Amino acid sequence: MGRVDERNPIVLVNDGADDNWQGEYAVLLANSAGPKLAGIVIDTSPGWQDIDANIAGWRGLVAAARASGLRGVPDPTASIGPRLVRPASGEIDDTSPNRSEGARLIVDAAARLSLPYRPLVVVTGGRLTDVADAYLVDRTITDR
């Protein structure tokens, strides 16, 4: 496993845009000495159930960041995959992946940007379904 510091690319996974400062910190750090922001995945959670409102909030944050001159801020990706279903066997590896938009973005970013000594980091502020789904899509992702 490689080191994790400000040089690692990150994918941000969150739900609502204005319940914490995670998005603001991510775009600001990506424009200073912080990590490259490789993707923004937006999903839902019990407290933030409206995907349209969630994605609109994040699009507003991205637009404001770009309008202020910040660069390297990716468009947010809405991820609306259903919940994962526990397999009858109870074994994680028997779980069928949903192949959600968020999982695909995480897998793609890891394939493009991770290095053996500098893995992709997934920062979450919401549910972990997209992260688990990424593992189910590509079990080697834990190495990247």
Side-chain angles (χ1 to χ4, degrees), residues 43-116:
D43 56 22
T44 59
S45 69
W48 298 90
Q49 296 180 22
D50 185 345
I51 189 68
D52 293 326
N54 296 353
I55 198 73
W58 282 93
R59 284 181 181 144
L61 184 144
V62 167
R66 290 175 179 165
S68 70
L70 298 179
R71 297 174 179 244
V73 182
D75 290 325
T77 298
S79 188
I80 53 175
R83 292 182 181 188
L84 295 169
V85 177
R86 182 182 177 125
S89 68
E91 297 293 322
I92 291 172
D93 288 337
D94 292 340
T95 307
S96 295
N98 291 334
R99 302 186 185 282
S100 67
E101 295 89 348
R104 291 193 311 261
L105 186 146
I106 293 167
V107 169
D108 178 62
R112 286 183 300 108
L113 300 171
S114 70
L115 300 169

Side-chain angles (χ1 to χ4, degrees), residues 8 17 20 24 26 32 47 56 65 74 85 87 94-95 99 107 110 116-117 122 133:
N8 293 77
N20 61 52
E24 289 87 345
S32 61
V85 177
D94 292 340
T95 307
R99 302 186 185 282
V107 169
Y117 56 89
V122 180
D133 197 21

Side-chain angles (χ1 to χ4, degrees), residues 9-14 22 26 35 39 41 120-126 128 131:
I10 66 167
V11 170
L12 177 66
V13 180
N14 208 319
Q22 193 176 46
V41 176
L120 176 76
V121 175
V122 180
V123 178
T124 64
L128 299 175
V131 177

Side-chain angles (χ1 to χ4, degrees), residues 11-33:
V11 170
L12 177 66
V13 180
N14 208 319
D15 45 24
D18 55 11
D19 62 328
N20 61 52
W21 293 94
Q22 193 176 46
E24 289 87 345
Y25 279 125
V27 299
L28 289 172
L29 288 172
N31 279 271
S32 61

